[in-house]
């Protein structure tokens, strides 16, 4: 019986390549993107400032720092666990195998995964031996650098100016935060002066459409939806409507699905094909939304969705909890995809572009500075 | 900065599958163990490290892993190795047994022994699957336990959460108590309780908003809610895919609320579900149900031993057997066995029959899910969904043959093959490939009828790498 596993394995390879072919990440020139990102942050915070005036001293540096602050606040618990744990390890003693083992534990507990953890620890061990590092805090810098180096390739902001309408399709497992992320993304692009259209492609889950419509109302954004029906049809309508209305960015929601549900994976592949039919260059970005609470299964999710719809970017949500999101390191090692955004809070402004150095720095702040 | 493709030339082709099965891992260290009559502290050191890695890969939280390994070590040391087992297998046995024991004994159902209505409170993180589970639970209570069930949502935060429960309750055939986002959760719950009392409901299901365990305001809210409605069951809903943080979340919820049980959701995914062990260990509360699938009927009893196999990557063999039993027509199977015994050849009719049965068992993909990782890996080169199509094609080709050809495949020569290919709409090569596969299967069956199972297993070992 097992005979035809092998054979059909061979026959499926061409199909593999076919689905893989259109994946080619549209590597955006990061240099251009950076200024956009920076100028865009202040308006978003200014929006909120008049409403909740008192806490923010409205000086320029304060506004500039706000994103970093928010990130730090969001990652405070992560830091308590990881950074806090680390700095208590680092300060006190000489480097020995015990310290390395404790470091290994800490990284593992941050969901970094065995592969990435061992890679980092091996790096540390080599540096320790080669450069004759003496005290533990010298290791801290090495570890931070190692992490940044590992995550830096993921830092590729999304450039939505290449097409109009720029169609972004979101996918993910159930409960990863797709619809919530769409709301935040809509706000983010609006703050950059872009017009946004939402497509309610989750026709399966009860009230998913209403959830998106509520978000749409809050943002003053049009939502294309249909009474039940085929998600692909909704997408087709949405892309055409966006073209007719001269919309800049289309955010396409899809129903959550587990990669093991093959029929649903086929369905989402169809959604992608239909978007492509409505606009031959679309979707311009396929974002996979990952819950940072998820462990090593996140890797399987990236692989499975990549196979089905050609993932071009990731969104990591729910980083404001105690979860560390260390699985990004594992992803970077095993199936790197640009990490476009991270979600650090419940607020509508709490979705921000990923910056490897800031992310790692926030993790490494001493525990005493965590109060914010 | 370099584009991602330049840094990682294989960016779109993801790295190797890390889902190594525990017995596979152990087989690597087992060589050093060979020849030992009993497990000792020294000889299992390395093997235990492999167990540790396997558990970590399954997302069991590190502190839990450490405790567990210490426990296993104690149990395993001194254990005699039965002659038919390798020391590695003996160790896996100990690990599996321990894991099952830790995850709780027999299935524990819901406790509804309260003056009606029995209140059930659902709690958990955002996106854990509380609302869906509420619907599933309602359906189960209504259909299997013949209860009159009312559901109410106290999620006044997430847009359309209440509407979601309303729809789900409708699908589950249970009554829904309307609430409004302007109300306070406690007021909603109390009003629902009052309504349930006056209308003689047996069970009231209270769905809550997802919350982070560190969100003090929200945790205070659910504490109040709990104190206000005094539920007999407080179920903690956990995503089976949860990572290392499961311990922290579980601890916080357990400290804030007197939990009575845990529901593990999204078990139909391919996560190994180590979170189950973490949560069980931290809370000490029984895992009562497992959520599988999108449909509202997808709520099952929790089986500790299956979960243990799954965490270890050993596959859900028991589930497979059950499924097989359901799918296989026993009389046909008997007739088939008889035929094999009588020495008559295995022909294309039987081949087709076998394929049909496999299809009945939920198709290859469903089977593959339940296979131990080593088999699944061997079979895993095929692309998801492809196998289903392949099976359909094989059936098509066989259907294009005449009965005579089916029972005597050696009749098939070039011109017949051409006719069959045209009839099935495939190329002659594909017909040939099928015949090749058939021949292989036939060979296997011959061995089976001659030398029995053992011989066959041995020949399969040759085909599947990493199997010992």
């Amino acid at each position: 019986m097992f005979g035809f596993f092998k054979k059909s394995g061979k026959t499926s390879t061409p199909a593999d390549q076919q689905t893989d072919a259109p994946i080619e990440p549209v590597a955006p020139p990061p240099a251009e993107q950076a200024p956009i990102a920076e100028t865009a942050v202040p308006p978003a915070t200014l929006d909120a400032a008049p409403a909740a005036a008192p806490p923010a001293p409205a000086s320029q540096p304060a506004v500039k720092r706000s994103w970093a602050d928010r990130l730090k606040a969001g990652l405070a618990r992560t830091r308590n666990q990881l950074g806090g744990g680390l700095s208590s390890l680092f300060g006190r003693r000489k480097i020995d195998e015990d310290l390395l083992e404790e470091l290994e534990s800490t990284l593992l507990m941050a969901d970094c995964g065995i592969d990435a953890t061992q890679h980092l620890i091996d790096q540390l061990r080599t540096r320790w031996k080669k450069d004759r590092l003496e005290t533990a805090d010298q290791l801290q810098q090495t570890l931070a650098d190692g992490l940044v180096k590992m995550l830096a390739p993921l830092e590729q902001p999304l450039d939505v100016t290449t097409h109009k309408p720029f169609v972004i399709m979101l996918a993910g497992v159930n409960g990863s935060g797709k619809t919530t992320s769409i709301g935040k993304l809509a706000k983010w692009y609006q703050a950059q002066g872009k017009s946004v259209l939402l497509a309610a492609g989750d026709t399966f889950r009860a009230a998913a459409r209403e959830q998106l419509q509520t978000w749409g109302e809050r943002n003053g954004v049009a939502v294309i939806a249909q009474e039940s029906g085929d998600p692909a049809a909704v997408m087709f309508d949405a892309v055409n409507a966006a073209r007719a209305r001269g919309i800049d960015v289309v955010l396409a929601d899809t129903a959550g699905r587990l990669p093991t549900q093959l029929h649903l994976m086929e369905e989402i592949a169809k959604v992608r094909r239909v978007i492509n039919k409505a606009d031959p260059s679309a979707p311009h970005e396929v974002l996979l939304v990952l819950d940072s609470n998820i462990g090593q299964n996140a890797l399987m999710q990236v692989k499975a969705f990549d196979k089905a719809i050609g993932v071009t970017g990731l969104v990591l949500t729910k980083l404001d909890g105690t979860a560390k999101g260390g699985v990004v390191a594992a992803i970077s090692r095993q199936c790197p995809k640009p990490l476009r955004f991270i979600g650090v809070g419940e607020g509508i402004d709490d979705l921000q572009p990923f910056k490897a150095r800031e992310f790692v720095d926030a993790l490494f702040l001493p525990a005493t500075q965590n109060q914010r | 900065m370099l584009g991602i493709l330049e840094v990682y030339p294989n960016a779109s082709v993801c790295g190797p599958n890390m889902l190594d099965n525990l017995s596979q891992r152990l087989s690597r260290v087992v060589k050093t163990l060979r020849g030992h009559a009993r497990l000792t502290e020294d000889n299992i050191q390395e093997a235990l490290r492999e167990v540790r890695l396997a558990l970590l890969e399954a997302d069991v939280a590190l502190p839990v892993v450490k405790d567990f390994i210490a426990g296993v070590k104690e149990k395993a040391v001194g254990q005699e190795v039965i002659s038919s087992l390798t020391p590695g297998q003996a160790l896996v046995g100990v690990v599996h047994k321990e894991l099952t024991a830790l995850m709780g004994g027999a299935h524990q159902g819901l406790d509804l022994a309260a003056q009606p209505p029995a209140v059930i409170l659902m709690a958990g993180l955002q996106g854990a699957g509380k609302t869906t589970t509420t619907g599933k639970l309602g359906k189960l209570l209504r259909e299997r336990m013949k209860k009159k069930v009312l559901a109410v949502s106290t999620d006044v935060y997430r847009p359309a959460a209440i509407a979601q429960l309303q729809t789900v309750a409708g699908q589950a055939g249970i009554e829904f108590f309307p609430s409004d986002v302007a109300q306070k959760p406690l007021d909603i719950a109390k009003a629902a309780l009052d309504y349930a009392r006056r209308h003689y409901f047996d069970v009231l299901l209270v769905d809550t908003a997802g919350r982070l365990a560190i969100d003090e305001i929200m945790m205070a809210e659910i504490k109040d809610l709990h104190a206000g409605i005094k539920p007999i069951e407080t179920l903690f809903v956990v995503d089976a895919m949860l990572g290392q943080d499961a311990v922290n979340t579980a601890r916080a919820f357990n400290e804030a609320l007197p939990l009575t049980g845990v529901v593990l959701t999204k078990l139909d995914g391919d996560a190994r579900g180590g979170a189950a062990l973490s949560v069980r260990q931290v809370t000490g509360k029984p895992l009562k149900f497992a959520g599988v699938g999108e449909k509202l009927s997808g709520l099952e009893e929790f089986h500790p031993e299956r979960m243990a196999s799954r965490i270890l990557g050993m596959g859900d063999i028991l589930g497979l057997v059950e499924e097989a039993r359901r799918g296989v027509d026993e009389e046909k199977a008997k007739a088939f066995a008889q035929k094999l015994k009588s020495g008559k050849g295995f022909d294309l009719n039987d081949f087709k029959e076998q394929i049909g049965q496999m299809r009945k068992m939920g198709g290859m993909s469903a089977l593959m899910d339940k296979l131990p990782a080593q088999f699944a890996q061997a079979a895993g080169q095929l692309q998801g969904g492809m196998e289903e199509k392949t099976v359909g094609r094989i059936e098509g080709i066989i259907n294009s043959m005449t009965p005579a050809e089916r029972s005597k495949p050696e009749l098939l020569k070039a011109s017949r093959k051409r006719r069959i290919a045209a009839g099935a709409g495939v190329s002659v090569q594909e017909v040939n490939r099928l015949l090749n596969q058939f021949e292989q299967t036939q060979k296997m069956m011959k061995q089976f009828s001659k030398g029995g199972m053992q011989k066959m297993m041995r020949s399969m070992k040759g085909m599947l790498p990493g199997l010992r």
Side-chain angles (χ1 to χ4, degrees), chain B residues 56-372:
Chain B
L56 283 172
E57 261 170 18
D59 287 323
V60 180
L62 189 64
V64 178
V65 172
K66 281 185 176 161
D67 285 356
F68 180 77
I69 295 289
V72 166
K73 198 167 165 186
E74 213 168 278
K75 287 257 160 63
V77 168
Q79 186 121 359
E80 301 228 353
V81 178
I82 309 166
S83 58
S84 65
L85 295 175
T86 66
Q89 284 169 325
L91 185 65
V92 171
V94 175
V95 170
H96 189 267
K97 230 166 86 191
E98 268 305 274
L99 214 50
T100 311
L102 271 184
M103 226 121 41
H107 168 72
Q108 255 178 300
L110 286 175
D111 175 15
L112 298 175
Q115 194 182 6
V119 181
I120 302 179
L121 181 68
M122 316 292 284
L125 291 176
Q126 288 96 337
K130 286 175 298 303
T131 307
T132 307
T133 306
T134 306
K136 287 178 174 180
L137 201 55
K139 189 177 166 76
L140 183 134
L141 286 167
R142 183 180 71 89
E143 285 180 356
R144 280 195 231 160
M145 299 168 80
K146 307 284 176 232
K147 301 286 183 195
K148 191 178 172 196
V149 185
L150 181 71
V152 64
S153 171
T154 61
D155 187 351
V156 295
Y157 308 98
R158 202 190 66 187
I162 297 174
Q164 186 189 352
L165 184 67
Q166 182 170 15
T167 315
V168 168
Q171 288 165 353
I174 58 174
E175 260 190 74
F176 170 76
F177 185 80
S179 46
D180 189 89
V181 288
Q183 290 171 286
K184 282 203 181 112
L186 183 57
D187 295 342
I188 296 174
K190 277 190 169 157
L193 186 57
D194 192 45
Y195 178 87
R197 227 174 248 145
R198 278 191 282 116
H199 292 80
Y200 307 108
F201 278 92
D202 299 313
V203 181
L204 171 65
L205 296 172
V206 182
D207 187 18
T208 63
R211 62 202 72 221
L212 291 169
I214 43 158
D215 189 332
E216 281 162 29
I217 302 165
M218 290 294 280
M219 289 311 274
E221 180 202 279
I222 200 167
K223 267 191 228 173
D224 283 350
L225 196 59
H226 184 275
I229 54 174
K230 300 200 175 47
I232 184 157
E233 286 274 4
T234 306
L235 298 179
F236 181 43
V237 183
V238 192
D239 188 329
M241 296 183 286
L242 230 48
Q244 294 284 323
D245 199 50
V247 263
N248 298 329
T249 311
R251 189 176 296 128
F253 271 91
N254 194 43
E255 277 164 13
L257 293 170
L259 302 176
T260 58
V262 178
V263 181
L264 205 60
T265 63
K266 304 181 205 171
L267 253 185
D268 49 330
D270 51 3
R272 299 259 284 274
L277 185 62
S278 308
V279 171
R280 164 77 201 183
Q281 189 76 333
V282 169
T283 63
K285 300 292 154 49
L287 290 144
K288 293 198 165 174
F289 292 102
V292 284
E294 309 250 291
K295 296 197 185 91
L296 283 178
S297 52
L299 194 68
E300 295 177 351
E301 290 176 4
F302 179 80
H303 297 283
E305 71 290 341
R306 292 192 195 169
M307 196 64 216
S309 305
R310 182 175 177 143
I311 290 177
L312 295 178
M314 290 159 66
D316 185 359
I317 298 276
L318 279 175
L320 188 65
V321 170
E322 232 169 60
E323 204 135 315
R325 218 176 274 149
R326 250 180 271 148
V328 173
D329 187 330
E330 246 175 69
E331 284 198 0
K332 272 188 192 162
K334 259 187 208 158
F336 178 59
Q338 201 60 45
K339 192 174 177 189
L340 277 186
K341 255 190 199 158
S342 68
K344 268 193 204 134
F346 173 81
D347 63 21
L348 277 164
N349 283 316
D350 302 317
F351 192 63
K352 194 184 145 202
E353 192 68 40
Q354 296 283 302
I355 290 168
Q357 281 187 351
M358 217 181 281
R359 253 197 171 170
K360 255 198 242 161
M361 282 154 71
M364 300 296 277
S365 50
L367 278 182
M368 217 81 81
D369 281 352
K370 297 206 167 65
L371 279 177

Side-chain angles (χ1 to χ4, degrees), chain A residues 281-297:
Chain A
S281 65
H284 308 101
E285 177 78 3
V286 178
L287 287 177
L288 177 65
V289 182
L290 294 172
D291 180 341
S292 57
N293 288 299
I294 300 301
Q296 299 309 303
N297 190 245

